[in-house]
Amino acid sequence: MRLLKILTITIGILAFTGCEDSLELNPITSETSATAYDEPAEIEAALIGVYNSFGGGGNREYFQWDLLNFQDTRSDNAYAGGDVPELFAVDFINIVPTNSRLSGHWGAFYSAINKANNVLERAPLIKDEEFKASRLDQVMGEAYFLRAYHYYHLVTMFSGVPLITSTTKSIRPEDIYVPRSTSVEVYAQILSDLEKAINLLPDTFPSNFETKSRATSGAANALAAKANLQKPTPDFQAALDHILALENSSANYELLSDYNKLFDGSNENNVESILEVQFDGIIHGSFRPSILSPPSRSIQSWRKFITPSHDIINLFLNENDIVRLTATVLFENVNWIDEYWGNQQGSSVPFVYKWKNAVGWDQSTTNNYLLRYGDIVLLKAEALNGLNKLVEATAQVNRIRARVNLPNLTVQQSNSKEALKLAILNERRLELAFEGERWNDLVRNGEAISTMNNLKERDLRTGEFVNYNMTPEKLFLPIPQTERDLNPSLIPGFL
Amino acid sequence: MLLLNPHFDQHSVEKNKLGINFTLLTNLNYLLMNLKQIVLKTKRSLIENCKEILTNSLRLNGSNKCFLLIGIVFLASQSVLAQTRTITGTVSDDKGVLPGVSVLVKGTTKGIVSDFDGVFKISNVNANDILIFTYLGYLSQEISIGNSNELNVILKEASRELDEVVVIGYGTQKTRNITSAVSVVGEEDLKLRPNTQVAALVYGKTPGVVATASSGQPGQGISLNIRGSSSLGDQQPLYVVDGVIISDTRSINPADVEKISILKDAASAAIYGAQGANGVVLITTKLGKKGTAASVNFNSYSGISSVVKTADVLNARQYQDLMADLGYNTIWSRFPYKTNWQDEIFQEGLTQNHQLSLSGGSDKTTYYISGTLYDEVGAVFSTKARRTSFKVNLDQEINDWLKVGTRVTYNNYSDVSVNDTSSGDKGGVIIGALVTPPVITKFNNDGTFTTNPFQVWENPFASAEGIERGYKTREFTGNAFAELKLLKDFTFKSSLSIQQRNEDYDEFVDPFRTDSGRSDNGRAFASRGTYQFVGFDNTITYKKKFNNHNIEALVGIITQDYRWENQSITAKDFTSGEIGTVGAGNLIRPDDVSTNISEQKNIAYISRLDYGFQDKYLFTVSLRRDGSSVFGPDNRFGLFPSVSAGWRLSKEKFLADVNWIRDLKLRSSWGVNGNDPINPYSYLGLVQQGANYPIGAQGGIYPLNIENNSLKWEETKQFNFGLDFSLLKGRISTSIDVYRKQTDDVLFSNNPLPATTGFGSATGNALGLKNEGFEFLINTINIDKKFKWSSNFNISINRNEVTKLTVPEIASGSIAGRGAATITRLNQPLSQFYGYVFAGVDADNGRAQYLTADNQLTYTPDAEDRRIIGDPNADFVYGFTNNFSYKGFELTVFLQGSQGNDMINATRFDTEAMNSPNNQSATVLNRWRTPGDITNVPGISQIGNIENSLISTRFVEDASYLRVKTVTLSYNLPSDLLKKVKIKGLTIYATGENLFTFTNYSGFDPEVNTFGANAVAQGIDYGTFPQTRKLILGVNLTL
């Protein structure tokens, strides 16, 4: 008994010696920032993490869906379709700051930007000589491009936004309440990042797949051209220079001879493609085909989104642009009510059908173009027109028209800068319908307000034309209310 | 060595009094105690002699003379049998004679009441009769007459509640000595409350405790909130069951609970410093009593439950009219049905609970064993819950210095719940039952679920029936302890606790019947989790009583290790609907597989000193040093002190003669509690994997959060002042408490960040919170004759205010399509409703009008026009229990209420907006239709337009309520009847729960909350599963 007693007491005393070092616990299923970016492979992984924003994470909804809502539904190309009240609001250009689709994308862009900033800060610290020699420049170039790409979408949506060019390291108010920069400043940052990217990036990567998946000098030039034209004071010469640089790329971008092949789902990463979101159906699958395709071409029987408008269908028909109409749109009789196409069940309704092969809900392998040479050719026309080189500009438009068996622009369409501007805008609408370009085109050309206010779309339920009530305040989206609530230094309006 | 035996009780006395088994009395102390008892029951002169002899001789040398003496006493008592005579005497207490004491001859109806001088006289009694003296507020005494003709009886004050032993952290205390704010819910409150959750037993019984059931689902846990929100996110107090920290209260079987102590102020909770900031609920489960024969208890009840009210919605005709107004046409003959979706979805629930338990003890061993089966079918289609459990509690004294014990529980729990707080088109079953048009039926001809005529929104059965799902846990909770008397006055206790829970959730949507199932060609989800807790407590207690001083000291080291593991997998593409396990799916993507493992460790050094002088002046000081692995190295440890003091005025001379005051105590406490309610590794910058892209050789990674080494302990400083008094011999007893809690550096894991940081939120010491309150409790015995009536009333008032905020504001309570409905701002209470002021309907066009910030009318207000439009915090909450008994009948009526709290009836956004092809509530029959209509229901809206139904005062309702929470009628069968069939007790009872609710709230239930215990999103009801009305019949049988 005595032995037992002593034993128990000893155990008790041992138990009293708690070990404070044991409170140092390391995560088991995730690494920490202290060690996660030390190796070349880890930097590559961090870079993949930035690309991931195209197909996964918070940006998935934007690049597969809402890009088209904010560019095509908001403009004259489409009605919202579907059943989401906040998208009806987008259709009616009645987008309030509390519309949750704003805050979601705002956050997703900055998340991607933070990831890019992380790569830009961490990659130069890698000591590995082989990495420094062979990959460091490219990695930096890719990260600069990716940061610029996301800022481009932010500035075109919201105008001036806070410029964040380093990772957030503390939550002290002075570190997190970043005020908005002006759009001029944001474009300057975008162009400066792109200049660096152009110098650091190769024309091509060893495989065509990577050349179309990763940032290249061509992609950086293409985006720089777009940014130079889109910014408040366009720089036509700079845009043209970048386009020429792109055309000199050893990636050999050219127009596909058959417009249909751009969208038939079996010519991905083609010569016209500059950058695509890659969907393999495994790591990422696309739901864009499911959300747009008619019930007969997808599993979902519900009312699909982004219904082509009478206005754009009429334009295709008036232009006799049958090639692009059939490549873009598919009509089908539906069992729901469409307030524009048929106010009773069984009506024939058009569907956006540029992205095919719906599989399941989000298992489609159909890629999305992020940058396509066809767009750049028409931007070249814009730049040339801006530089008063009307003949060369017209030639570029006609390249695009010839491919779809349309005659060259008429003299009336091309004999004045203003007429040619409208012809190019029109051509872009047909060429790039439902590719997420239209609203920016209207804004860039100063046509958004008149176009939307002159638009005649009849709501069959009331028999009246929709009043889109477009005003200058609505050219850009409001800063999300949640963000304004969280950052007192954000002021509303355009900057 | 002399041991005080706290487990001494009446049964042992009885045995000895009959003169048997003297030889078993080997423990001298045991004998001494028995003798003291016997002394009380024998003639005074004898007592004096006996006591003197005993104390002088036995204690010193343990001579056997004592046995002899007792033998003589009893022989004497045996020798006076069978002589009838009259007995007289006086009843008094230590202050004087007691009139009105009832004196009853045991086993008969013969009895009398003592007269004004305390004198009684009973004739025709004989020597082996036993007299029972009972008097309210005093311990009843049984005295055998023996051969005396005169009995002078001194009754001792019962002061049951004063002598009640209350479990406090790492120890016990008598109520009379408590100096902090501790509430006890004891046996009386717990018996015959057929309830499946412990929290439900506590609510309304004691002030300062509010229960929020986020819904009435069978499997839904109930959260308790003690003295307001001092934390964000999880408000749950710390639950400690028999010394084991419990993370999921659903696993506690209420029928096993003996007693619940609620530590409300900082001083009482301080000993749980690190986790006690939200208060502590200490639960003690049952244990047999020493020296009692095995007692078998069978407790069984079953009952039905139903949703209390249904909502009026449009019928088929009215729905068609509304659709026509909205511009929707269809061939209505294709939709000929008149389905009442609420009738289809709501059903009669069935609850049953059967428990068999066995308890008892010898002089060294006490035990309690129980097995329980609980099964509930919910009042909403497809919901159910089931628990089978067993429990073994065992204490064993090995020898005079070592005692060991164990508490073991095993639970097998499963439930099926429905998606309730979602919109109809997102599978929300409750809202689905309201907005699904009556014109469709459940299935299409091909076996698929029907949809809205105009949108592919499936009827509510698609999610209730079309998804096979279930949650299961298997949980072991156990603790083993050893208590050693080391040296004189020192006790060392070591306790090892383990909780291990395996949690499974499985879901399968077949590839045919539902739209979502067809989209993925069938989808299965499986999640497997384990939770492991190991606690090791080692304490040394020093107890010493000398002269007027009473000292108790405690030091100890507590270590706690937590480990969570979770794996989940989603599989799609199934060839059939027959096999729904993930392995049968043909597509599993990398993103669809996740593994998460984390650990946490806490270490605490605890100490406490209690000092009492003459049981009159009481002091407690405690100090605790806590370390938690969730903080960085610089802030890992926190120090949490507390002091409290009590003054029992009733023990002072100047009150000694005031007879109507039995007890009067002032107490005051101050202390600091800590809290670390954040995820493990929160201070580290974590890197997330799985951000993949089909390029490169590896998966992608990205920063998950911002490293923050400055994270530190949340601290709650609380001051409490309390007054306890007991009047008129205990007929009235009252507790009053006032408190002020200041919580600083409140930890918030979802501290919203501007998204420009690249992160949505960060864990931070986000805010300061102040809670001030008042609690009042009164217990009265109103009538104490054959008919008894006692009452318990309690009321609590709490006010909270944000005293510091590191972000401009916290918007929360997001409602689908409408955004955040609550806002938390500096210098205001938590979770204020935030929206527009509704200014009626424009009679010209039927549009809803709102006030702008400068009180102008507008149809389209800006975000800047939003204001505070309601407050979900109650002015006060109260509970009122009345207990009536007559002979074997007992009736308990428990009312519970809340006053002055608002609720956003968010379900109305979906049932009154008239902006979609949803069916709507009957309210919209009053909608504006033609210019000139004066109504407060706007006209129809463009599809998807929410301007007429913004978050506004229109949807804020007064959710004050008074609820007849439970009514229980029970009948105890007479014991003489039961004796014949050898049954110790048989009670049958009927209980009604949530029988009536008095409220102006128009929703299903004013007591639910869509966001559960989330402190910044209170008072929102969005399609929440209502609590149900239950009618239960039960039987309680003891053998």
Side-chain angles (χ1 to χ4, degrees), chain B residues 296-345:
Chain B
V296 178
N297 181 272
F298 178 65
N299 188 352
S300 174
Y301 64 81
S302 47
I304 51 171
S305 61
S306 55
V307 171
V308 177
K309 67 175 177 186
T310 51
D312 262 352
V313 295
L314 301 183
N315 63 28
R317 180 76 250 152
Q318 293 160 340
Y319 172 71
Q320 289 175 19
D321 288 347
L322 176 66
M323 290 304 104
D325 285 3
L326 282 167
Y328 279 113
N329 301 309
T330 188
I331 303 153
W332 286 109
S333 58
R334 288 167 56 199
F335 304 101
Y337 303 97
K338 292 188 165 61
T339 310
N340 182 334
W341 288 104
Q342 292 178 80
D343 281 358
E344 300 289 323
I345 283 294

Side-chain angles (χ1 to χ4, degrees), chain B residues 140-264:
Chain B
S140 67
Q141 279 196 30
E142 293 189 14
I143 297 179
S144 43
I145 292 171
N147 55 1
S148 56
N149 294 322
E150 194 185 331
L151 271 180
N152 289 320
V153 180
I154 298 172
L155 290 185
K156 287 187 78 176
E157 279 191 72
S159 52
R160 187 180 69 90
E161 69 275 19
L162 296 181
D163 280 331
E164 195 168 10
V165 175
V166 176
V167 180
I168 55 171
Y170 304 101
T172 57
Q173 230 172 14
K174 283 187 176 167
T175 310
R176 69 166 89 233
N177 293 334
I178 282 179
T179 52
S180 47
V182 178
S183 291
V184 178
V185 179
E187 228 171 332
E188 281 300 309
D189 303 303
L190 298 175
K191 71 171 189 190
L192 305 187
R193 283 287 307 271
N195 233 306
T196 53
Q197 296 209 29
V198 167
L201 300 179
V202 174
Y203 188 26
K205 295 292 183 186
T206 176
V209 180
V210 175
T212 43
S214 57
S215 89
Q217 301 233 28
Q220 180 65 49
I222 298 176
S223 337
L224 287 181
N225 177 319
I226 296 175
R227 290 190 163 179
S229 301
S230 55
S231 212
L232 295 189
D234 196 3
Q235 298 300 310
Q236 288 273 40
L238 180 73
Y239 289 90
V240 181
V241 180
D242 295 328
V244 188
I245 292 173
I246 296 293
S247 58
D248 184 351
T249 56
R250 284 178 299 184
S251 63
I252 306 165
N253 179 2
D256 287 331
V257 174
E258 168 98 35
K259 201 181 273 183
I260 302 173
S261 298
I262 300 163
L263 315 183
K264 296 191 287 193

Side-chain angles (χ1 to χ4, degrees), chain A residues 77 109 167 173 180 222 302 323 337 368 397 406-407 453:
Chain A
N77 277 0
F109 288 132
T167 54
R180 294 172 73 183
W302 37 257
V323 172
I337 304 292
N368 300 344
V397 180
L406 289 181
N453 285 336

Side-chain angles (χ1 to χ4, degrees), chain A residues 19-94:
Chain A
C19 177
E20 297 187 2
D21 291 345
S22 62
L23 292 183
E24 189 82 42
L25 295 179
N26 288 316
I28 297 161
T29 45
S30 36
E31 279 196 82
T32 65
S33 51
T35 58
Y37 311 108
D38 293 348
E39 301 294 323
E42 291 173 328
I43 286 298
E44 297 284 0
L47 182 63
I48 299 292
V50 195
Y51 280 104
N52 169 264
S53 288
F54 287 145
N59 293 63
R60 169 184 137 112
E61 290 244 317
Y62 180 80
F63 287 111
Q64 295 188 43
W65 187 6
D66 274 359
L67 170 63
L68 308 193
N69 279 317
F70 287 116
Q71 295 293 328
D72 293 276
T73 303
R74 182 160 51 142
S75 68
D76 50 355
N77 277 0
Y79 316 116
D83 60 351
V84 177
E86 290 189 330
L87 292 178
F88 292 125
V90 172
D91 190 0
F92 300 130
I93 329 179
N94 182 20

Side-chain angles (χ1 to χ4, degrees), chain B residues 7 395-399 401-405 481-484:
Chain B
H7 293 291
D395 275 12
Q396 173 74 41
E397 282 175 26
I398 306 285
N399 52 34
W401 56 267
L402 179 62
K403 178 180 163 187
V404 296
F481 65 87
E483 235 178 71
L484 287 91

